[in-house]
């Protein structure tokens, strides 16, 4: 299981500010939250389910996501 990329999207969790907007817009629940003490960011919890809709890219103001 890859937590930083799907077949369509690359993820840079260091840029994430934990607004969780991408989690809400993902139609396949590919994106999950990490909330452990000061570590708050997103990961791909089910990278194989990604359909490449790019809603995460369009939603994120921090440029956490990039196309592959």
């Amino acid at each position: 299981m890859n937590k930083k990329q799907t077949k369509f999207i690359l993820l840079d969790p260091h840029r994430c500010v934990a607004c969780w907007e991408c989690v809400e817009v993902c139609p396949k629940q590919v994106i999950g939250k990490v909330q452990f003490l000061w570590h708050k960011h997103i990961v791909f919890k089910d990278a194989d389910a990604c359909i490449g809709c790019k809603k995460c890219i369009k939603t994120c103001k921090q440029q956490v996501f990039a196309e592959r």
Side-chain angles (χ1 to χ4, degrees):
M1 174 170 51
N2 195 323
K3 296 189 178 264
K4 292 189 180 180
Q5 64 182 341
T6 72
K7 194 165 41 172
F8 306 100
I9 308 291
L10 297 172
L11 161 69
D12 181 359
H14 294 82
R15 301 187 91 156
C16 182
V17 297
C19 70
W20 312 132
E21 289 181 35
C22 59
V23 176
E24 301 298 320
V25 300
C26 183
K28 296 292 186 177
Q29 292 85 39
V30 172
I31 305 168
K33 300 176 185 179
V34 171
Q35 295 185 62
F36 179 71
L37 301 174
W38 58 88
H39 296 285
K40 292 185 180 178
H41 57 84
I42 51 104
V43 294
F44 289 130
K45 66 179 184 177
D46 189 3
D48 292 334
C50 180
I51 58 172
C53 69
K54 301 177 189 160
K55 288 183 180 183
C56 54
I57 293 174
K58 295 172 189 167
T59 301
C60 184
K61 295 172 184 79
Q62 305 302 318
Q63 298 177 334
V64 171
F65 303 97
E67 289 185 62
R68 282 190 77 183

